[in-house]
Amino acid sequence: MAAHEPFDFSGRVAWVTGAGRGIGLAVAKLLALHGARVAGVDITTNPAMQACCARVLELDVSGYAGVEQAAQTLAAEGLVPDILVNNAGIARDGVLWKLTESDWNQVLDVNLKGAFNFLRHAVPLMRATGRGGSIVNISSINGLRGKFGQTSYSASKAGMIGLTKAAARELGRDRIRVNAVAPGMVMTDMTQRVPLEARMAALQESLLGTIAHPEDVANAVLFLASPMASHITGQVLQVDGGQYL
C-alpha cells in the first residue's frame, strides 16, 4: 500500500472491543485489511476474530481490574494503541416499569463503564507516545432520541456521547481525537432477536429504504480513525440511512 494512501494503517495498532461479531468484527477486519495490527477483545473468541486480529483477548470489558491487566499485557507486547474503538455492547430491552435492576446494571456496566475502563487504561499509553491518535466510540441514534423499551440501552448510548465530548476536550492538546459513531438499526446477530415489527419500523424510517450492514459502520470508523478526519473531534457521525433526521 502506497505511503500516501490516507487509509494506510501500516505500523499502527488498533484495539477493538466487541470484536467477535457484528460491527466490532467488521471494524477489526477492515482495519486489519488496511494494515493495522488489531488487538481484538470480546467475552469469547472465535475463528473469525482470530483470523483478522494479531492478538485476541477474552475479557469482560465491565471489569476495571481485568481491563487494566489487559492494557498492561498488550503494552508489554508492543501493542500500545494508536486507535481505540469502544464497540462492546449489549441490550436488555424492556419497558421502564418492568426493567430489572440487574438488567439496568448489566447494560450500563458493559456499554458505558466498559468504554470508560478502556479509555482510562488506553489514554495514558497513547499520551505517552506523543503520536496522537484516534478514539471512536460506538453510540446509537437511540442515545440521541431515546427508544421505547430501551431505557437502559438509550441511557448507556447517550452517556457514550457525553463521554466522547468530554474526552475530546481533555485530549485535544495531546492530538488524540475522540469521536462517536451513532448507527441506526444494523443487521447483526443482536438485531435478529428484535421483533419483526420493530425491524420493519426501522426500515420504514430509513430514507434510503435499507437497513445498514456492519460494514457500513466500519467504513465510518475507518474514516474517523484516518488522517482524512485529522481535524474532526468531539463529533457524532450518524450512520442510519436517515432514520433519525
Side-chain angles (χ1 to χ4, degrees):
M1 198 173 292
H4 65 273
E5 166 58 52
F7 297 115
D8 180 6
F9 289 85
S10 299
R12 302 178 71 188
V13 174
W15 294 3
V16 180
T17 71
R21 58 192 57 78
I23 292 169
L25 180 59
V27 169
K29 285 181 176 179
L30 192 59
L31 286 169
L33 179 66
H34 286 269
R37 287 189 295 161
V38 179
V41 177
D42 212 315
I43 193 74
T44 58
T45 62
N46 59 59
M49 182 180 175
Q50 293 163 354
C52 65
C53 295
R55 182 74 159 84
V56 297
L57 296 90
E58 287 193 353
L59 181 66
D60 179 354
V61 300
S62 69
Y64 184 90
V67 173
E68 181 178 29
Q69 180 59 55
Q72 292 173 354
T73 298
L74 290 173
E77 294 174 1
L79 294 171
V80 171
D82 301 287
I83 300 159
L84 170 64
V85 182
N86 280 311
N87 165 75
I90 62 171
R92 298 286 185 269
D93 294 349
V95 291
L96 183 60
W97 56 92
K98 292 183 178 179
L99 192 66
T100 67
E101 180 186 17
S102 174
D103 284 347
W104 172 273
N105 287 342
Q106 286 181 43
V107 171
L108 271 292
D109 281 351
V110 172
N111 297 8
L112 188 53
K113 182 170 179 270
F116 162 74
N117 289 342
F118 267 88
L119 284 165
R120 174 63 182 83
H121 297 300
V123 162
L125 298 172
M126 296 173 76
R127 293 182 71 223
T129 69
R131 296 193 300 261
S134 176
I135 295 168
V136 183
N137 296 320
I138 306 301
S139 181
S140 167
I141 61 170
N142 293 337
L144 293 166
R145 67 179 184 176
K147 182 73 171 177
F148 185 95
Q150 285 199 325
T151 49
S152 58
Y153 185 81
S154 297
S156 71
K157 294 303 186 177
M160 186 76 91
I161 291 170
L163 179 62
T164 296
K165 290 179 178 291
R169 287 185 177 276
E170 293 181 357
L171 297 175
R173 70 187 67 182
D174 296 298
R175 295 184 300 110
I176 297 172
R177 299 179 297 104
V178 190
N179 293 288
V181 174
M185 183 168 282
V186 182
M187 294 310 298
T188 64
D189 290 344
M190 188 164 69
T191 303
Q192 296 297 336
R193 297 192 291 272
V194 172
L196 178 60
E197 57 268 26
R199 281 181 272 154
M200 292 306 297
L203 185 61
Q204 290 173 351
E205 288 177 335
S206 171
L207 303 183
L208 300 179
T210 58
I211 297 299
H213 293 280
E215 292 74 19
D216 296 313
V217 183
N219 287 335
V221 174
L222 186 78
F223 165 70
L224 289 173
S226 78
M228 295 291 283
S230 62
H231 206 59
I232 299 175
T233 195
Q235 301 304 304
V236 181
L237 176 58
Q238 292 174 218
V239 182
D240 65 353
Q243 259 188 271
Y244 181 49
L245 183 61

